[in-house]
Amino acid sequence: MALNITKISQISPSADSSRENPYILQLTFFDLRWLNFLPNEQVIFYKLHDSSHESFYSVILPRLEQSLSIVLGYYLPLAGHLTWNPQDPKPCIVVLPNDTVSLIVAESEDADFSSVSGKGLRPAKEIRPLVPELPVSGNSPSLLALQVTLFPNQGFSIGIVSHHVVVDAITAQMFIKSWAHICQHGTTTLPEDLTPVLDRTVINVPAGLEEKMLELVPYLSGDKDNARTLKLPHTKEVSADVYRVQLEVTLENVKKLKERAKNEWKRSHLELHLSTYVVVNAYIWTCLVKARGGDVERPVAYEYAPDFRNRLGPSVRGTYLGGCVFPISCVGYKAKHFLGEDGFINAVEIISDSVKSLGSQGVEVFFDLYADKTKNIERGTDIWAAAGSNRFSIYGSDFGWGRPVNSETVSYDQCQIFCMSEMRDGTGGVEIGLCLKKTEMDALFGLFKNGFEN
């Protein structure tokens, strides 16, 4: 996709003008897990009835810039950068008085907005130009960068790249909704459910757990010789044969999956955690293992990152700004467990048991399990990770020109992650976004469709 960069703005937080000293925010146990993880890259598409150059540059862009400045005053850490001073035991977020967030403005030369913003099968690399790169100065990455791209007489997109140490999926969704609220209503205030809590002392984990997490970081980054590096993974060139798609699991099909699980479950139904999240994840994971094929003895695994806000003592408010998720790995399985007729129910049992265990054990137990599995996982294990939730929806983020027509997580072209979110129509169905090689995608389509028909 050919783009012309028309403007690069540096947006200052509106409440920042009176600050003379750096704002410093300490990282927590949950933040430290994501020090060297891929940045989250997302693009949101908005269709416009009047998206001429004049209306875009005289009305839309100024409102987006002004409201961004205001919302950054609430979400001040996003304007900062990550640093690790030699004398400090762990990194921290620092916001200097003159720190800003980069906002790139671009125009598409000839792209078809309907095609680019669609949910159907298309090359994964097609939408990558719509998100900016996260600025990095030396060993100190910024935490947020934005790009607004105009598709003349069609619509526009908002591309967002953010560092995982300060933004998990809940925080990312809240930031976008807060920005949209201020832009749409022309206000300078946020309602309580969109006002972030910056206090890191609300995160209560057992003593010594942060130190253990820091010891694990080099294993996660792959740079065991430089334990204090803040370097982010390099964005790999996306192959032309990698495609992306958004699959839809309607409410009717969710009910089919739950009914099928009940009928095939061999244990007591009282042991079954039969949520939409469990059955949809189990179904997608099973389809992905089957679509890849290969050696039936090959090792496979499933990973997800549940939210711990309500699982800590005391619980943490939902508006807490920062990471509060931790990965849970389900490992030790072979592909053959999921290739037969009982593949789906096997996956349901694995994920159901894992989710149920979240309420009975402390985060320190899950850390020990995760650390052990990270260090000892069988080489060549084919891991699929699940992100998001059927309770997540970006479609309510109306900046004043209508709801989004689509939202894509661009960074999933870099790793094996599929993302779950609520369907746009709000009927209780689920959208699943993912990237695969074309041959595997063709196989996935058949498996995905036939599983509901049969």
Side-chain angles (χ1 to χ4, degrees):
M1 183 188 307
L3 298 181
N4 290 323
I5 305 298
T6 60
K7 182 181 180 183
I8 300 179
S9 299
Q10 299 299 327
I11 307 297
S12 299
S14 62
D16 203 34
S17 57
S18 61
R19 283 196 310 109
E20 297 179 355
N21 299 315
Y23 175 85
I24 300 175
L25 194 66
Q26 297 297 326
L27 298 188
T28 72
F29 161 77
F30 292 103
D31 300 324
L32 294 172
R33 162 59 187 88
W34 311 103
L35 273 183
N36 309 109
F37 197 72
L38 281 168
N40 182 58
E41 300 169 311
Q42 184 177 14
V43 59
I44 310 169
F45 296 94
Y46 292 87
K47 188 174 181 178
L48 294 173
H49 298 293
D50 180 11
S51 56
S52 64
H53 281 80
E54 181 179 356
S55 65
F56 179 76
Y57 285 102
S58 64
V59 178
I60 295 175
L61 184 59
R63 283 177 59 181
L64 289 173
E65 291 179 330
Q66 182 181 20
S67 55
L68 176 59
S69 176
I70 294 170
V71 79
L72 286 173
Y74 289 92
Y75 290 77
L76 186 59
L78 296 182
H81 56 279
L82 192 62
T83 188
W84 197 342
N85 295 318
Q87 71 275 15
D88 294 337
K90 63 178 181 179
C92 63
I93 294 169
V94 176
V95 188
L96 299 174
N98 295 322
D99 275 351
T100 59
V101 170
S102 171
L103 174 63
I104 296 174
V105 181
E107 288 187 25
S108 169
E109 293 183 358
D110 53 7
D112 179 359
F113 179 80
S114 297
S115 174
V116 173
S117 63
K119 300 178 185 291
L121 187 67
R122 62 265 195 225
K125 64 193 305 179
E126 182 179 57
I127 62 173
R128 180 150 284 283
L130 300 178
V131 291
E133 293 184 358
L134 199 61
V136 178
S137 177
N139 193 39
S140 183
S142 298
L143 302 179
L144 177 70
L146 300 155
Q147 177 176 319
V148 177
T149 304
L150 172 66
F151 296 79
N153 302 313
Q154 301 178 81
F156 70 96
S157 66
I158 299 178
I160 305 168
V161 56
S162 55
H163 200 303
H164 271 285
V165 295
V166 71
V167 174
D168 62 14
I170 293 175
T171 303
Q173 180 179 240
M174 188 172 69
F175 169 73
I176 295 166
K177 289 183 175 180
S178 299
W179 184 13
H181 176 87
I182 289 173
C183 186
Q184 179 184 19
H185 298 286
T187 181
T188 59
T189 59
L190 286 173
E192 185 177 357
D193 64 335
L194 292 178
T195 302
V197 174
L198 306 185
D199 182 10
R200 293 303 174 95
T201 64
V202 300
I203 300 297
N204 182 27
V205 299
L209 205 53
E210 284 190 2
E211 289 76 8
K212 289 183 178 181
M213 187 68 249
L214 284 169
E215 293 173 2
L216 184 63
V217 166
Y219 289 90
L220 300 171
S221 68
D223 191 354
K224 297 179 183 179
D225 297 328
N226 189 5
R228 297 172 70 93
T229 182
L230 299 178
K231 186 178 180 181
L232 294 171
H234 176 69
T235 301
K236 298 176 291 187
E237 180 68 24
V238 181
S239 173
D241 69 341
V242 175
Y243 282 68
R244 70 170 61 246
V245 74
Q246 287 203 32
L247 303 172
E248 293 187 346
V249 183
T250 64
L251 180 59
E252 179 184 358
N253 283 337
V254 170
K255 292 178 179 178
K256 287 182 180 180
L257 292 176
K258 291 182 178 181
E259 192 62 31
R260 178 181 170 187
K262 289 179 181 178
N263 293 336
E264 296 181 11
W265 190 259
K266 296 178 182 179
R267 289 155 49 183
S268 167
H269 284 185
L270 296 176
E271 301 178 38
L272 186 63
H273 184 81
L274 208 58
S275 65
T276 297
Y277 182 88
V278 167
V279 296
V280 173
N281 272 274
Y283 186 67
I284 297 298
W285 183 28
T286 305
C287 288
L288 288 167
V289 173
K290 291 180 177 180
R292 180 147 296 170
D295 184 358
V296 298
E297 296 293 333
R298 65 186 177 89
V300 299
Y302 166 84
E303 188 173 288
Y304 66 112
D307 178 29
F308 278 83
R309 284 171 173 79
N310 291 326
R311 297 183 170 103
L312 298 178
S315 62
V316 178
R317 289 176 59 182
T319 54
Y320 169 75
L321 190 154
C324 205
V325 299
F326 192 80
I328 308 293
S329 298
C330 303
V331 303
Y333 304 99
K334 303 293 184 181
K336 63 184 179 183
H337 288 106
F338 311 99
L339 297 178
E341 290 295 322
D342 59 351
F344 168 68
I345 197 62
N346 288 340
V348 168
E349 184 172 4
I350 291 166
I351 300 175
S352 172
D353 287 349
S354 179
V355 171
K356 285 185 67 175
S357 72
L358 294 174
S360 60
Q361 301 178 87
V363 67
E364 68 277 10
V365 175
F366 295 109
F367 170 80
D368 289 339
L369 290 171
Y370 182 72
D372 179 67
K373 292 172 181 177
T374 297
K375 295 176 181 179
N376 299 301
I377 191 167
E378 185 176 350
R379 184 181 296 274
T381 299
D382 189 18
I383 305 173
W384 274 99
S389 164
N390 52 296
R391 298 178 181 178
F392 287 1
S393 176
I394 205 67
Y395 293 115
S397 303
D398 182 353
F399 283 80
W401 302 282
R403 297 167 61 217
V405 295
N406 193 16
S407 173
E408 291 276 2
T409 303
V410 181
S411 45
Y412 294 164
D413 61 12
Q414 300 290 303
C415 51
Q416 293 197 156
I417 298 179
F418 60 87
C419 182
M420 174 187 288
S421 60
E422 183 184 22
M423 282 178 57
R424 188 177 188 272
D425 60 12
T427 57
V430 179
E431 291 180 356
I432 302 291
L434 55 85
C435 294
L436 273 179
K437 290 184 177 180
K438 183 62 164 59
T439 53
E440 294 177 337
M441 189 72 83
D442 291 341
L444 177 68
F445 280 164
L447 293 162
F448 179 81
K449 181 180 179 181
N450 292 338
F452 293 121
E453 291 180 348
N454 298 329

